Amino acid sequence: MKTVISIQSHVAYGYVGNRAAVFPLQRLGCDAIAVNTVQFSNHTGYGEWTGQVFTAEHVADLMDGVAARGVLPTCDALLSGYMGDVGLGQVIVETAARLKAANPRAVYACDPVMGDVGRGFFVRPGLPEFIRDHAVPAADLMTPNQFELEYLTGRTVQTLDDALAATAALRERGPRLVLVTSLTRKDADPGHIEMLADDRDGAWLVSTPRLPLDPPPNGSGDAVAALFLAHYLKAFDPAGALEQAAAAIYAIFQTTRRMGTRELQLIAAQDEFVNPGQRFTATRVR
C-alpha cells in the first residue's frame, strides 16, 4: 500500500481540492494523509461561499504533528494543489524537501493550480512566479493544464510539436515527468480533448471525446492529478497511468453529465477508477 500526503483545499459540499483527490487515492489503494489549506462551504465557482483560509503557520504546525508520528520515512508521495499564497507555497516546498530527506525515493507531485484558458489567472499576485521559480525545481511530477504549461515555460502551445517542446522545457527545470491534463491543439480533432505524459524516456498522448458539460465541473484537474499519481506509484509506468487516468476521468464526466449536476460524481463513478468500462489507448509520440 502506498501512502500519499495531500495538501490542498477542502470544501464541505462538492468535490474540489482534497475532496476531489483523497477519495480517488483511497479507492485505488493508497493511504491518504489529508492536510487542508482552506475549509469552505463550497468551491468559489458558485460566486458565494463561507469558511476560512488557513494560515501557513497552521499547515506547518499540522505537518509537524504528522512528522512526529514517524510516518515520513514510509510516505511515498506528496501531492499539492491550490496553494493559496506564497507563504503556504513555501511550507509545501519545505515539506517536499523534508519528505525527501526522510525517504529519498518519495515523489513530489505538484499540480500548479493558478489559471486556465479563458479565465486567466485566478490566484493571488506573486503565486504564479513562486510556482515557476520554486515549486517547479522541487517537483518530480508536474500536472499543469495547457494555460499553466504555457505560463511556466513562456511558450505558446498550438500544435503537438509545441506541446512536446514545452513539456521538454519544463522537464529541464526539474520535474522528471510532466502530465498535461488538458490539451487542445489546432492539429487535432476538435471533438476530442487530450492528455500528454512526457518523461525522459518518451511521451504518450491519449484522446477522449469532448463531452458537453455546461458549466464544466470544477475539480477535474484535482481528480486527474490524484488518479494519475495513484496509478503511477504502482509501477512508475507513465503510459499505463495515463490510460487509467483518462478512462477514469472520462467515466466521471459521463456520470456527472447523466446525473445533471455541476459537481463531479466521484462516488457514483468509483468502480470505474478500478475497472473502467471504456478504455483509451495512449499513443507514443516521442
Side-chain angles (χ1 to χ4, degrees), residues 3-277:
T3 300
V4 178
I5 300 170
S6 183
I7 305 180
Q8 302 197 48
S9 59
H10 173 81
V11 291
Y13 171 79
Y15 295 94
V16 300
N18 265 338
R19 284 271 285 168
V22 170
F23 179 69
L25 288 169
Q26 293 172 326
R27 188 65 178 83
L28 289 169
C30 294
D31 185 13
I33 299 173
V35 177
N36 300 324
T37 57
V38 309
Q39 180 160 286
F40 288 167
S41 57
N42 50 270
H43 67 69
T44 59
Y46 285 99
E48 57 182 14
W49 65 94
T50 59
Q52 296 181 354
V53 176
F54 298 138
T55 66
E57 291 77 15
H58 172 85
V59 175
D61 188 47
L62 285 177
M63 283 310 309
D64 284 342
V66 170
R69 304 283 69 77
V71 300
L72 294 187
T74 63
C75 285
D76 299 280
L78 166 66
L79 173 62
S80 71
Y82 175 69
M83 291 184 176
D85 60 27
V86 170
L88 183 54
Q90 291 172 334
V91 171
I92 291 172
V93 170
E94 289 166 2
T95 298
R98 191 175 186 179
L99 175 58
K100 286 173 172 291
N103 179 8
R105 294 175 297 178
V107 173
Y108 172 32
C110 176
D111 183 8
V113 179
M114 63 177 109
D116 204 350
V117 175
R119 296 179 64 189
F121 290 108
F122 49 68
V123 295
R124 293 180 180 179
L127 191 55
E129 293 83 359
F130 175 84
I131 293 174
R132 181 192 63 200
D133 298 337
H134 299 279
V136 168
D140 301 293
L141 165 62
M142 294 289 295
T143 62
N145 61 30
Q146 187 165 339
F147 175 87
E148 292 156 349
L149 176 67
E150 290 183 332
Y151 169 74
L152 292 173
T153 61
R155 295 171 176 264
T156 299
V157 175
Q158 296 184 337
T159 66
L160 179 57
D161 285 344
D162 291 340
L164 290 170
T167 53
L170 190 57
R171 286 192 294 104
E172 287 176 0
R173 298 194 52 232
R176 63 174 181 256
L177 172 60
V178 175
L179 170 69
V180 185
T181 58
S182 58
L183 179 62
T184 301
R185 53 191 176 91
K186 291 183 177 180
D187 53 343
D189 182 351
H192 284 67
I193 191 164
E194 299 170 322
M195 292 195 291
L196 174 68
D198 181 12
D199 74 2
R200 64 185 179 186
D201 296 321
W204 296 266
L205 188 72
V206 68
S207 175
T208 58
R210 192 184 295 270
L211 296 173
L213 291 164
D214 187 25
N218 292 67
S220 56
D222 305 325
V224 168
L227 290 162
F228 183 87
L229 177 62
H231 285 293
Y232 180 68
L233 290 175
K234 293 178 181 179
F236 297 98
D237 172 17
L242 180 63
E243 291 179 344
Q244 293 284 349
I249 196 64
Y250 183 73
I252 293 168
F253 283 159
Q254 279 190 314
T255 305
T256 301
R257 183 184 178 213
R258 184 175 67 249
M259 298 182 71
T261 174
R262 65 183 292 179
E263 294 292 345
L264 291 174
Q265 293 302 299
L266 298 179
I267 307 304
Q270 63 178 288
D271 290 343
E272 299 279 353
F273 302 172
V274 180
N275 187 26

